Amino acid sequence: MDDQGCPRCKTTKYRNPSLKLMVNVCGHTLCENCVEMLFVRGSGNCVQCDTPLRKSNFRVQLFEDPTVDKEVEIRKKVLKIYNKRDFDFPSLRDYNDYLEQVEEIVFNLTNNIDVENTKQKMEQYQRENRDVIQRNKAKLTREQEELEELLLLEQQGNEQRRLETLQEEQRQLQAKRKNKQALLDELERSQLPASILLAQHKDRAAQLETQIEKQKQTVKPTTIFSTGILMGQTVSLQPVARIVEELYHYKPLKIETYGPPVPELDQLSRLGYLNHVRASMPQDTAGGYTSGLACHRAIQDAFSGLFPS
Amino acid sequence: MKINIEGLLVYFPYDYIYPEQYSYMLELKRTLDAKGHGVLEMPSGTGKTISLLSLIVAYQRAFPLEVTKLIYCSRTVPEIEKVVEELRKLMEFYSKETGESSNFLALALSSRKNLCIHPEILHANIVVYSYHYLLDPKIADLVSKELAKKSVVVFDEAHNIDNVCIDSMSVNITRRTLDRCQNNVDTLQNTIRNIKETDAAKLKEEYRRLVEGLKEANVARETDVYMANPVLPDEILQEAVPGSIRTAEHFVGFMRRFLEYLKARLRVHHVVQESAPQFLKDVFDKVCIDRKPLRFCAERLRSLLRTLEIADITDFSPVTLISNFATLVSTYSQGFTIIIEPFEDRTPTIANPVLHFSCMDPSIAIKPVFERFQSVIITSGTLSPLDIYPRILDFRPVTMASFTMTLARTCLCPLIVGRGNDQVALSSKFETREDFAVIRNYGNLLLEMSAIVPDGIVAFFTSYVYMENIVASWYEQGILENIQRNKLIFIETPDASETSMALEKYQEACENGRGAVLLSVARGKVSEGIDFVHHFGRAVIMFGVPYVYTQSRILKARLEYLRDQFQIRENDFLTFDAMRHAAQCVGRAIRGKTDYGLMIFADKRYARADKRGKLPRWIQEHMSDGSLNLTVDETVQLAKHFLRQMAQPFRQEDQLGLSLLTLEQLESEEILQKITQIAHQA
């Protein structure tokens, strides 16, 4: 990049590395000083291709190839108009065709092919799809904001984690030091023989070690729900549509038999069925069992034989 | 001999077997039965290769539907050759014993001259090639995509596998790459223009295919779904190429814009570190390039090169590199980092901007291997501590076992020298590197060793710079002269041909009895590939703890990532990495049970439990508490004693029954009991 020279004053670029090159809409470069000199009246013609240019259209050159600068400028302008997204199209193929169209337009404008037609096409498209363009513009800015938020959160999370681990290590180091100091103090002051004190100290040190080991194994706290949404992130959901449905009503089952109806549980003793069943002992009734239950089941079994086949 | 391992009949082509080989085969069989992955550590020089091959071949013959293929991955071409030799022996044994000529097909792929045609690979039972054919996504797609699911993959000498995975997914871009890429793009544009005038049909055909969303015509496959390409997740592979890069001109314009963006990024004056999503956002802001077309870059470029019928692909390697970078950066949002440095740390005045796109997570490259194949075995002589590998490679092994060598006589003698004769602590810590006393003590150690150890000594330093400093100091102190009276001195340099010349002469000196000392570096070519058997390496001295350069930004980013994702402390990981290199270096000296050697760790930090515990079990068990913090004199005493013992004649009969077993001894009860105790589950 530094070996490019300004096409007009040629030498000045090499001698002055801080000099910037500027590009205009025609794709040709000029160094800052030359721009000042030539466009002192605000407008003029390009040195190499003679197209009429305005001073305000000069931008600092970012890339080595000025045509790329020009293309990027054109592309940004085109994309402001042609900003449909993949969900605006019924199929992937249609979306890809649309993308190809956009590329054609940018290509034509950059290489000065068929400029008039292309500009007309663009204006027509803009007129037809004004509302879609507006809607997508709003959506885009919202998405960008969300992305920035996410990145910020991620950074903060990283910082926090780092600080935490540092603090943890500090704490462990301090605990070890305290332990050693405690041993020295005890050896100095206490009356117990040194071997016991050493054994105690060893125990404490081992305990500390296991504590540290356990901490190392602690599971990383989850930061993300299973749906992929980060914890703590406010998710703006669309309001749920209210669905009204019929409440369910229970209707007991009615089965047609071709015989007499099955007697109910409370009628059994009156009708005399219970006489043919073993009476329930006091131990059975304690659990809630009555002979009527067994009888009723047997009767239902018998009556089920009446069902039409 | 024919052995019975839990019901499986294994043909072993030798008459004697080591107990740990039997134990290893037992563990291996259990892993295969469980259809899971395994991590097995077996000391070097104990016949690991032949145990692996005989067991897996026997398993294949017994259960041909369970295990259809064996894929043996090794690091270097000499290792592949060794494997093929052993395999040949095994096959001869089979044909001798069973009388039938085996219909096993084994295929070895090494360099370009030995590449095979892919249909053969479908029928082969055993395939031997290098790691990269399975791990590097760009190569794996071409070579390994037809491999069936019911295969066993073995990674031999896999202690560095995480670095291999990371390197295969990392990209470094310099200014020079970008300039060459610019030329490529211009060439492409011209070629397209020419073809349009002469034969526009080809381009139209390609365009039509891209519009229809058809992939390139694939060869009909008999086997099931091929291995997923980790560069592109599955759903994306099925999608059509986006419309913005369909036509050839649009695509070339797209590449040009991306290239200009990269050039602009490289013009920074300070270091920049950012994540992949941040990079993508910046790309979109500056040149309006979306994420989706970036993902399809590599594929689109391949298709274009094929349509234009470019004859010499290697000319286009810069643009291929950039397109791979584009695809990688847009596919993965986690596990990668981008670091742009305006100059290298050690040469701040020379402007040499580099963009490092480095992978921090080795599990990304190896995940498709673990998911696709039913059994993956990772084995090496130095895999301690075993539990780190499942954590950083993110897989769940059914077996993790570490084996030791059963020895009839203790043929290794690891010693930790922590002090010099003047009680100055020896260490290669950064703070003590310039210390005159430490350097003098190191020199004294080497001098004494050169006086008592016969034939060859290999000395490893932690880095080239450190080695040069120390050797210069030794020269000034006159130590080199004294050493040269005992032995010749050879030194390893970053240049490959110089090093091989030094190695040759070193071997000559050891052969004819003059004796020599080889000074080399712990992460250099010598420590990775060369074996020092018998008299070529009677003693190995590790000067210091071989930590990697800890100020490198890529390393720092990786450590941070490991801490966040896997809860591995930075210190633990650095120590683990240093100790595995140290173990690799000292393991060079022992290549068999009749070989013997001294292993001297010359740094007081080795005595600490956290470092000692990271040495492999088969080294640790020969370290007694008394040999942990020796002075140089004490070391010399112990070494003399050891060497004199080892010089006594030692016949094979002495080993029988203890470290070497015949078939009858193998089948006796007590030996079987001892064997089951050899495998130590981690």
Side-chain angles (χ1 to χ4, degrees):
Chain A
M1 174 86 170
D2 297 326
D3 29 321
Q4 273 180 326
C6 165
R8 194 168 163 274
C9 56
K10 295 214 205 275
T11 51
T12 323
K13 181 65 178 157
Y14 304 131
R15 282 205 234 123
N16 192 357
S18 69
L19 203 62
K20 290 197 275 278
L21 285 176
M22 319 268 281
V23 181
N24 208 319
V25 292
C26 66
H28 293 124
T29 55
L30 272 182
C31 75
E32 231 175 343
N33 289 353
C34 290
V35 170
E36 283 300 322
M37 269 197 289
L38 291 177
F39 290 85
V40 69
R41 262 192 289 122
S43 64
N45 286 6
C46 170
V47 174
Q48 285 146 314
C49 63
D50 227 18
T51 38
L53 298 173
R54 266 188 277 202
K55 184 174 171 195
S56 54
N57 283 343
F58 269 103
R59 262 165 255 291
V60 180
Q61 185 182 11
L62 290 170
F63 306 108
E64 286 183 12
D65 190 358
T67 42
V68 172
D69 263 302
K70 175 180 172 192
E71 188 187 337
V72 170
E73 281 299 317
I74 293 175
R75 189 176 286 270
K76 284 196 182 146
K77 279 196 216 124
V78 169
L79 283 180
K80 270 211 194 97
I81 301 175
Y82 284 83
N83 62 359
K84 280 202 195 152
R85 309 280 288 286
D86 46 355
F87 38 75
D88 287 325
F89 291 92
S91 79
L92 186 60
R93 171 93 182 254
D94 290 330
Y95 179 54
N96 281 337
D97 289 335
Y98 165 80
L99 285 176
E100 201 180 329
Q101 239 183 349
V102 174
E103 285 293 317
E104 271 299 317
I105 292 177
V106 175
F107 188 76
N108 286 347
L109 287 176
T110 313
N111 298 16
N112 300 332
I113 302 171
D114 217 7
V115 178
E116 280 308 316
N117 270 345
T118 319
K119 285 222 170 104
Q120 269 180 0
K121 240 192 286 184
M122 273 173 63
E123 278 169 29
Q124 193 185 17
Y125 176 85
Q126 193 170 11
R127 260 178 280 132
E128 287 171 7
N129 296 305
R130 193 170 308 226
D131 45 339
V132 180
I133 293 173
Q134 282 289 48
R135 195 170 25 126
N136 281 343
K137 224 190 281 190
K139 232 186 263 178
L140 195 67
T141 47
R142 209 182 334 132
E143 270 183 17
Q144 275 181 336
E145 277 171 16
E146 282 176 9
L147 208 71
E148 307 253 329
E149 260 181 53
L150 278 176
L151 281 176
L152 201 67
L153 273 175
E154 201 186 297
Q155 255 185 337
Q156 284 174 347
N158 280 348
E159 269 303 307
Q160 243 186 341
R161 242 174 316 171
R162 213 172 46 84
L163 281 173
E164 267 176 28
T165 40
L166 267 173
Q167 280 174 352
E168 189 52 47
E169 283 179 23
Q170 293 277 17
R171 253 177 281 153
Q172 285 171 4
L173 225 68
Q174 273 188 348
K176 277 201 197 148
R177 249 183 259 145
K178 251 193 249 169
N179 202 8
K180 281 206 190 124
Q181 193 58 31
L183 171 67
L184 289 175
D185 288 338
E186 277 203 14
L187 283 173
E188 220 185 294
R189 285 181 281 121
S190 159
Q191 309 293 338
L192 298 168
S195 45
I196 297 190
L197 285 174
L198 279 173
Q200 275 180 348
H201 170 78
K202 243 195 180 159
D203 274 334
R204 267 202 305 266
Q207 260 180 353
L208 209 63
E209 278 296 320
T210 45
Q211 239 185 357
I212 294 175
E213 278 303 316
K214 242 190 294 186
Q215 291 214 317
K216 269 204 249 184
Q217 310 289 345
T218 45
V219 180
K220 189 168 60 139
T222 43
T223 52
I224 197 168
F225 286 118
S226 59
T227 51
I229 304 176
L230 288 179
M231 284 200 189
Q233 181 194 18
T234 47
V235 180
S236 55
L237 299 166
Q238 282 176 323
V240 182
R242 189 184 170 77
I243 309 173
V244 181
E245 278 191 7
E246 246 183 62
L247 285 179
Y248 176 67
H249 282 287
Y250 172 68
K251 292 195 206 42
L253 190 64
K254 266 199 155 7
I255 302 175
E256 272 299 325
T257 61
Y258 289 94
V262 180
E264 295 301 314
L265 189 54
D266 32 289
Q267 297 169 324
L268 279 183
S269 58
R270 195 165 48 81
L271 294 174
Y273 285 99
L274 285 181
N275 302 336
H276 303 281
V277 184
R278 178 172 65 84
S280 50
M281 315 265 271
Q283 295 102 301
D284 304 326
T285 52
Y289 172 83
T290 56
S291 55
L293 286 169
C295 187
H296 195 229
R297 184 162 306 156
I299 293 180
Q300 279 179 329
D301 262 347
F303 273 76
S304 67
L306 299 174
F307 287 172
S309 57
Chain B
M1 54 160 100
K2 294 190 254 222
I3 332 175
N4 172 3
I5 297 186
E6 272 189 0
L8 179 68
L9 179 62
V10 176
Y11 284 73
F12 194 72
Y14 298 103
D15 289 325
Y16 299 102
I17 187 172
Y18 297 138
E20 57 270 16
Q21 277 179 313
Y22 185 86
S23 190
Y24 186 72
M25 290 200 273
L26 192 58
E27 280 303 320
L28 198 53
K29 175 175 183 297
R30 288 190 188 143
T31 313
L32 292 179
D33 285 338
K35 294 200 184 17
H37 308 308
V39 181
L40 301 169
E41 179 190 45
M42 173 108 131
S44 47
T46 49
K48 197 174 20 147
T49 313
I50 190 62
S51 323
L52 269 166
L53 290 173
S54 30
L55 182 85
I56 298 185
V57 167
Y59 205 90
Q60 268 183 305
R61 288 171 77 98
F63 307 107
L65 297 172
E66 294 293 313
V67 175
T68 51
K69 259 197 198 10
L70 164 63
I71 303 168
Y72 196 101
C73 301
S74 194
R75 261 183 332 163
T76 59
V77 173
E79 285 174 20
I80 294 180
E81 288 173 0
K82 268 188 249 171
V83 173
V84 173
E85 266 310 305
E86 297 279 356
L87 202 50
R88 203 169 286 156
K89 239 184 265 179
L90 184 62
M91 289 298 134
E92 277 172 19
F93 186 72
Y94 262 100
S95 52
K96 206 167 50 140
E97 288 291 320
T98 61
E100 57 193 44
S101 69
S102 97
N103 46 4
F104 251 58
L105 179 61
L107 227 43
L109 315 178
S110 48
S111 64
R112 248 171 259 177
K113 26 187 183 39
N114 299 338
L115 276 180
C116 82
I117 322 166
H118 104 91
E120 278 183 41
I121 221 179
L122 289 176
H123 303 296
N125 299 99
I126 302 181
V127 182
V128 183
Y129 54 27
S130 136
Y131 288 165
H132 298 282
Y133 287 140
L134 206 56
L135 292 177
D136 190 338
K138 319 184 250 312
I139 313 178
D141 204 24
L142 301 168
V143 179
S144 309
K145 68 178 181 187
E146 312 281 328
L147 296 174
K149 186 179 188 325
K150 287 183 172 246
S151 310
V152 176
V153 179
V154 175
F155 287 106
D156 199 5
E157 302 296 337
H159 42 272
N160 260 336
I161 200 168
D162 59 324
N163 286 335
V164 172
C165 292
I166 283 187
D167 287 335
S168 68
M169 296 206 106
S170 301
V171 179
N172 290 338
I173 300 177
T174 58
R175 180 68 218 208
R176 202 159 151 260
T177 322
L178 292 179
D179 286 336
R180 282 163 61 195
C181 189
Q182 180 75 46
N183 290 340
N184 287 158
V185 170
D186 290 335
T187 316
L188 279 176
Q189 195 163 31
N190 290 338
T191 322
I192 291 173
R193 203 177 307 139
N194 290 344
I195 280 205
K196 267 209 154 152
E197 290 164 12
T198 57
D199 183 9
K202 266 188 288 206
L203 282 175
K204 284 217 181 64
E205 173 60 31
E206 186 197 22
Y207 173 74
R208 190 194 63 79
R209 254 188 314 111
L210 290 173
V211 169
E212 302 291 329
L214 299 170
K215 301 278 152 207
E216 304 110 45
N218 273 319
V219 178
R221 290 187 303 280
E222 302 148 18
T223 53
D224 43 43
V225 180
Y226 62 79
M227 207 160 69
N229 179 351
V231 178
L232 286 180
D234 257 334
E235 323 83 66
I236 305 301
L237 273 178
Q238 310 305 322
E239 251 187 60
V241 171
S244 41
I245 50 174
R246 267 188 200 156
T247 62
E249 292 110 340
H250 291 165
F251 177 63
V252 170
F254 175 87
M255 286 305 289
R256 206 185 276 277
R257 261 183 303 144
F258 190 58
L259 196 56
E260 286 293 331
Y261 172 77
L262 288 177
K263 281 195 207 167
R265 281 317 289 271
L266 274 185
R267 264 184 259 131
V268 286
H269 295 294
H270 56 88
V271 177
V272 173
Q273 177 173 358
E274 56 185 24
S275 66
Q278 284 171 320
F279 183 79
L280 288 173
K281 181 164 178 298
D282 197 48
V283 169
F284 184 68
D285 285 338
K286 295 265 165 57
V287 285
C288 307
I289 287 185
D290 240 338
R291 195 178 171 169
K292 196 128 147 293
L294 274 179
R295 252 196 227 145
F296 286 88
C297 229
E299 193 187 326
R300 184 71 186 81
L301 180 70
R302 262 210 298 268
S303 157
L304 184 66
L305 287 177
R306 207 172 307 129
T307 309
L308 296 179
E309 283 171 7
I310 306 281
D312 199 353
I313 296 277
T314 51
D315 284 345
F316 286 88
S317 59
V319 69
T320 317
L321 185 75
I322 301 292
S323 66
N324 283 338
F325 165 66
T327 313
L328 280 173
V329 79
S330 52
T331 314
Y332 296 103
S333 51
Q334 251 207 341
F336 286 82
T337 185
I338 297 176
I339 297 179
I340 308 178
E341 287 179 332
F343 47 72
E344 268 179 69
D345 278 331
R346 308 185 203 226
T347 53
T349 48
I350 309 177
N352 184 14
V354 181
L355 185 144
H356 297 288
F357 176 67
S358 58
C359 175
M360 300 189 288
D361 194 351
S363 64
I364 297 179
I366 206 172
K367 194 148 73 102
V369 177
F370 281 125
E371 285 180 354
R372 172 154 179 72
F373 297 106
Q374 73 181 14
S375 264
V376 177
I377 313 279
I378 294 190
T379 182
S380 164
T382 53
L383 280 181
S384 290
L386 283 179
D387 59 329
I388 270 205
Y389 284 92
R391 278 161 84 185
I392 54 181
L393 298 178
D394 198 24
F395 71 103
R396 253 155 298 284
V398 298
T399 324
M400 286 204 289
S402 169
F403 300 90
T404 55
M405 282 203 274
T406 50
L407 297 168
R409 65 168 186 181
T410 314
C411 61
L412 29 108
C413 181
L415 303 166
I416 301 182
V417 185
R419 297 168 287 163
N421 288 341
D422 47 5
Q423 306 301 324
V424 168
L426 292 179
S427 177
S428 71
K429 251 161 86 142
F430 192 65
E431 297 83 26
T432 59
R433 277 191 188 184
E434 308 289 324
D435 193 350
F436 194 74
V438 170
I439 299 179
R440 194 188 49 210
N441 278 323
Y442 273 149
N444 201 16
L445 174 65
L446 189 58
L447 177 59
E448 301 276 347
M449 283 294 130
S450 68
I452 57 166
V453 174
D455 301 317
I457 301 182
V458 191
F460 288 101
F461 291 87
T462 60
S463 68
Y464 283 112
V465 176
Y466 186 49
M467 178 165 77
E468 282 169 19
N469 278 341
I470 284 205
V471 172
S473 298
W474 282 350
Y475 177 68
E476 284 166 15
Q477 294 172 20
I479 294 176
L480 279 189
E481 210 186 302
N482 291 336
I483 297 179
Q484 275 179 323
R485 254 184 253 143
N486 300 327
K487 293 194 193 301
L488 296 175
I489 303 185
F490 296 95
I491 190 165
E492 177 189 355
T493 57
D495 185 60
S497 44
E498 271 182 21
T499 308
S500 42
M501 171 66 118
L503 210 48
E504 216 183 285
K505 292 297 162 195
Y506 169 81
Q507 284 173 343
E508 212 182 296
C510 294
E511 286 282 339
N512 66 18
R514 179 68 175 83
V517 175
L518 179 66
L519 305 173
S520 46
V521 170
R523 282 158 202 274
K525 291 176 264 318
V526 168
S527 71
E528 294 285 327
I530 315 289
D531 290 338
F532 295 98
V533 296
H534 296 293
H535 50 276
F536 292 120
R538 282 299 177 214
V540 174
I541 310 182
M542 256 326 298
F543 284 111
V545 181
Y547 280 112
V548 72
Y549 173 55
T550 43
Q551 299 304 318
S552 121
R553 277 184 204 91
I554 303 176
L555 177 71
K556 283 205 202 145
R558 185 172 171 200
L559 289 176
E560 212 181 295
Y561 185 79
L562 283 175
R563 194 192 60 219
D564 289 336
Q565 291 297 115
F566 302 114
Q567 279 86 47
I568 299 179
R569 302 251 293 277
E570 283 154 354
N571 220 354
D572 282 345
F573 185 77
L574 285 175
T575 315
F576 148 71
D577 189 58
M579 293 314 291
R580 77 173 161 185
H581 274 96
Q584 262 306 102
C585 291
V586 298
R588 304 273 120 219
I590 306 286
R591 289 275 148 208
K593 294 206 176 175
T594 47
D595 196 357
Y596 64 88
L598 276 162
M599 299 178 177
I600 300 185
F601 296 92
D603 194 308
K604 71 172 189 329
R605 293 174 289 177
Y606 280 113
R608 285 183 52 161
D610 68 334
K611 295 197 175 42
R612 214 170 4 118
K614 293 193 166 63
L615 284 175
R617 216 172 126 231
W618 54 277
I619 296 182
Q620 266 183 62
E621 49 173 29
H622 297 285
M623 273 185 182
S624 64
D625 278 335
S627 61
L628 291 184
N629 192 8
L630 305 164
T631 63
V632 175
D633 276 342
E634 290 166 5
T635 311
V636 167
Q637 282 290 73
L638 288 171
K640 269 199 220 173
H641 179 77
F642 172 75
L643 288 168
R644 215 163 278 152
Q645 251 193 330
M646 289 296 122
Q648 305 305 316
F650 185 66
R651 300 171 320 249
Q652 200 182 50
E653 294 81 56
D654 298 329
Q655 286 188 41
L656 275 182
L658 281 170
S659 59
L660 193 65
L661 302 171
T662 59
L663 190 59
E664 301 82 33
Q665 286 166 332
L666 185 62
E667 289 170 351
S668 76
E669 268 304 306
E670 35 172 280
I671 299 286
L672 278 174
Q673 251 189 352
K674 262 199 243 165
I675 282 176
T676 44
Q677 289 172 357
I678 291 182
H680 173 78
Q681 300 292 337

